[in-house]
Structures are given as structure tokens and as C-alpha cells.
Amino acid sequence: MSLAAQLPIAAFLLVGASASIGAGLGLLRLPDLLTRMHAATKPQSVGLLLVLVAVGIRFPTGEVITTLVLIALLQLTTVPVAAHLVGRAAYRTGQVRSEDLYVDELAEALDAAAD
Amino acid sequence: MTVVPAVVGAALAVAAALTLARLVRGPSMLDRAVALDVLVAIILAALGVEAIGADDPWVLPTMLALSVVGFTGSAGIARFLVHRDDDAAEDER
Amino acid sequence: MEERPRYSVRVAGRTVQLPLVAWLTLIWLLMGDRFSVANVLSGIAAALVLVVVFPFPPLDPGLRFHPAGFARFAGRFAYDMARAAGPLALQAFDTGLQRRANSVVAVTLRTHSDFILTATSIALSALPGALVVDVRRQTGTLFLHALGAADDAGVESVRRLVLDQEARVVRAFGTREDRALIEGGTNP
């Protein structure tokens, strides 16, 4: 491959890997479950998507691209679903401390439903 | 094109190590579930880097399979925790 | 929705939704290596078996495709994604470490379609600093954990972000009724 074709691949890979490191750092450093989920869901998806783009540039054939598109779609749709399930479970098992939040309208809604 | 995949692979290994630390430390199962999801995504990215490094897209079906089942771990843990609290009636509404 | 959804036929006493079959066949084709007649036929067969063995609740997807709206939605989605990974990943460190810097905000959408609710919550996952933690389906309410929403203005701006995202989703996929709801009232 020519250098001109390799440069964008290298760039996408490097940025994607640093996004993954960002996700790892956030996961380790942040204080509670919900803020950690922010670090987990976004940089994680972006890092993976950038790597997928790099793979697509490297192997620009139909079968590779369709597989990559499918992986990307699955990633984009399952991450929010998993986050929703985890967030829900966090509330139901009392792992969210409302007093650490400025407003907590979900706790208010759950209280209202319980009454 | 051998240096970049090696560097990126090392960076992903660092990210995986950070994620593993959270996986071990917890403290709750949900923390571990979130870390598990991130770990799956890092493995997926590493497989993509492997395809570029090896100059052969043979790992792509593996990536596809992993991305299909990847989120079932945390989804299962979350469902299990909610149902253990016997909130099933709440779900039916 | 008691009556049969559109574009559906009855097979072996089950309602088979043809759009769902078409979608599953498309996924099958994307997974396979190349397009061929045998591939398409086996995909349709697999999709039919799936929807007959695992009946899907009848749903009118409430889905119309608007190319221009979709292009704008996709562009904005990619832009938000890129922002969420960049400098704003660091925002997590600033706001996460102080107390009472974040909020959980309830936002009730203007449209009442399951599809728009789902698509909006997925699209919101691209927004920096926002995370959907729960959904209430009957009222169409999303509960978001918002980083850095530490005062009333911050909470209001989160509401605005969500409603804007909903408007973009509706302009990409909404039915005429959905669009009327969006265009009818300005943001509350």
C-alpha cells in the first residue's frame, strides 16, 4: 500500500486506541456507577467505530464492508440497551445515591409510583 | 505497516488492563457488568487491529459473532439483579 | 392496536409481518459473503422460521423514511459521537469528582410512537454527557443521567437537547402525525 493510503488507517487506529484508553481511565477513576457508565459507553463505542473505519479503508471490498456495517449497527444499538438495563437495575437495587445528584426526577417518579 | 498495529495493540492492552482493574475491584456486580461490556468492545477493536496487522480480514466473522453476543453478559446480570428483587410485577406494567 | 398491522399475512395461524421478514433477510444478506439467489431464498426461509417460531408482538413500526432528514440526522449523530469521545471525555473527570454536579432528568417526548421513543433513546447515546437510564413507555418519558447539570439552567438545557434530538429523529423517520406534533408546538 502507498503511504498516502496508510496514513488515514494509522490515524484512525491511533485515535481509536486513545479513545479506548480514555474509556479505561474513566472506568477506573470516576466515583460512581452512573458517571462510570458515561465513560464506558461513549469513548468505547467511538474507539471501536474508528477501528472499524480503519479496517474498512484497508479492505475496501463488499463483503468486508457489509460485515463492518453490521458490527457497527449492532454496537450502536446494543450499547444503549445494555446501559438502560444496567441503569434500571442500579435504581431497583438502590445503588444510586440521590443526595449526590442535583435533581433526581427518576427517584421522585419511583417514589410517586410506590405511594 | 507493522509499527502502527503494534503500538495500537499495546494501547489497547493498556485500556484492557484498566478495564480489568475495574472488573476486579467492583464493588458491585453492575460495575463489573459495565466493565465487561467495555472489555468486549476492546477485544473487538483488538481483533480489527489484528486484521490490519495480519493483512487478512479472516477475523471478521469472529468480530461479528462477538458483537452479537457481547452485550448479553451485562444484560443478563442486570435482569438477574432486578428479578432477584422481585420487581417482576413492575415490568409487566 | 387490535387489527392486523399493514403488510402482514397469516401463516399457520400466526400473523407474519412482511417488513420484519424483509429486515431479517437483509441482516442475513449482510452477514453472508456475497449476494446470490440461493442466499436470498435461504435468508427468507430463515426469517420466516424465526417469525413463526418466535412470534413478534404485532407492531406498526410507525416508520416513514425521509432521506434528507435522515442525512441530517446521521451527520449530526456522527458529529456528536466525535465530540463525545474527544475533549468531552475529559469533562467526565471535571464534573464526576465533585458532589451534586450531575442530575437525573425526566423528559417526556411529544410523540407517542414506540419506534420514535426507541430511536431517540438510541440516538441520545451519542450526545456527550447524556445517558438514558430508564424509559417509561406509556407516557413516553426518558430518564437521563446528565453530566454537569448542576443548576436549573443546566437541567433545562438537557431537556432542550433531548427534544431537539427527538425532532431530528422524527424528521428522519416520523409519520405525518409525528411530524405535526413536532412542528405544531415550539419546544415547551
Side-chain angles (χ1 to χ4, degrees):
Chain A
M1 287 194 91
S2 68
L3 187 66
Q6 288 186 7
L7 269 180
I9 297 176
F12 277 116
L13 284 182
L14 289 170
V15 178
S18 37
S20 293
I21 289 188
L25 277 177
L27 211 52
L28 202 55
R29 284 282 319 279
L30 292 170
D32 61 80
L33 178 62
L34 287 179
T35 47
R36 281 202 281 268
M37 282 170 69
H38 281 274
T41 51
K42 252 146 275 183
Q44 168 207 353
S45 301
V46 175
L48 179 55
L49 288 179
L50 289 174
V51 171
L52 292 180
V53 170
V55 176
I57 300 175
R58 177 63 192 82
F59 306 105
T61 60
E63 47 192 279
V64 170
I65 302 279
T66 50
T67 308
L68 291 175
V69 167
L70 203 53
I71 296 172
L73 272 180
L74 281 165
Q75 178 72 13
L76 285 177
T77 49
T78 56
V79 162
V81 173
H84 167 200
L85 286 172
V86 171
R88 223 172 121 85
Y91 265 94
R92 300 294 156 90
T93 54
Q95 295 184 33
V96 177
R97 285 173 306 168
S98 289
E99 64 271 18
D100 284 354
L101 297 165
Y102 172 66
V103 287
D104 189 347
E105 292 174 348
L106 178 54
E108 291 167 19
L110 289 176
D111 286 346
D115 287 340
Chain B
M1 202 70 182
T2 50
V3 180
V4 171
V7 171
V8 172
L12 288 176
V14 172
L18 295 169
T19 309
L20 265 179
R22 174 52 71 195
L23 193 66
V24 171
R25 199 183 286 178
S28 75
M29 280 315 283
L30 289 174
D31 289 295
R32 297 197 172 93
V34 172
L36 201 60
D37 273 353
V38 176
L39 200 58
V40 170
I42 291 173
I43 292 170
L44 277 170
L47 288 174
V49 175
E50 149 72 19
I52 291 177
D55 218 9
D56 187 348
W58 67 274
V59 290
L60 259 83
T62 316
M63 292 174 70
L64 184 59
L66 194 55
S67 68
V68 172
V69 297
F71 83 113
T72 50
S74 67
I77 292 173
R79 298 283 304 167
F80 173 71
L81 286 177
V82 169
H83 281 273
R84 197 176 53 178
D85 263 18
D86 207 18
D87 254 338
E90 175 84 19
D91 282 335
E92 298 306 317
R93 289 197 293 132
Chain C
M1 263 172 286
E2 292 305 313
E3 76 273 24
R4 245 192 288 160
R6 292 199 293 165
Y7 312 117
S8 68
V9 292
R10 290 191 75 81
V11 177
R14 293 261 168 76
T15 306
V16 171
Q17 302 168 58
L18 293 181
L20 194 59
V21 173
W23 172 248
L24 288 171
T25 307
L26 178 69
I27 300 282
W28 176 272
L29 287 173
L30 284 176
M31 277 201 275
D33 276 351
R34 60 190 81 75
F35 296 90
S36 67
V37 177
N39 225 332
V40 174
L41 289 179
S42 57
I44 292 173
L48 278 175
V49 168
L50 267 181
V51 295
V52 169
V53 175
F54 303 103
F56 207 62
L59 82 172
D60 176 13
L63 172 63
R64 309 288 178 273
F65 189 72
H66 309 285
F70 178 75
R72 233 172 304 151
F73 166 75
R76 181 60 191 252
F77 187 84
Y79 170 71
D80 283 336
M81 269 301 216
R83 271 197 319 157
L88 279 150
L90 298 174
Q91 188 203 12
F93 290 90
D94 294 344
T95 54
L97 295 175
Q98 36 179 289
R99 285 168 63 86
R100 287 177 62 85
N102 309 317
S103 292
V104 172
V105 184
V107 187
T108 299
L109 299 183
R110 290 159 289 183
T111 52
H112 310 291
S113 135
D114 284 348
F115 178 82
I116 299 291
L117 183 68
T118 312
T120 306
S121 68
I122 288 176
L124 280 170
S125 68
L127 277 192
L131 185 77
V132 178
V133 290
D134 209 345
V135 178
R136 191 136 307 169
R137 187 174 153 236
Q138 319 95 302
T139 53
T141 307
L142 293 173
F143 296 90
L144 292 101
H145 184 256
L147 284 182
D151 48 34
D152 289 344
V155 171
E156 279 316 308
S157 77
V158 171
R159 279 190 228 284
R160 186 158 291 272
L161 274 179
V162 173
L163 293 176
D164 286 352
Q165 188 73 296
E166 182 203 11
R168 276 193 288 276
V169 170
V170 167
R171 286 189 194 112
F173 302 110
T175 57
R176 185 168 296 144
E177 302 88 77
D178 294 334
R179 290 162 76 89
L181 282 169
I182 295 296
E183 313 294 347
T186 47
N187 289 347

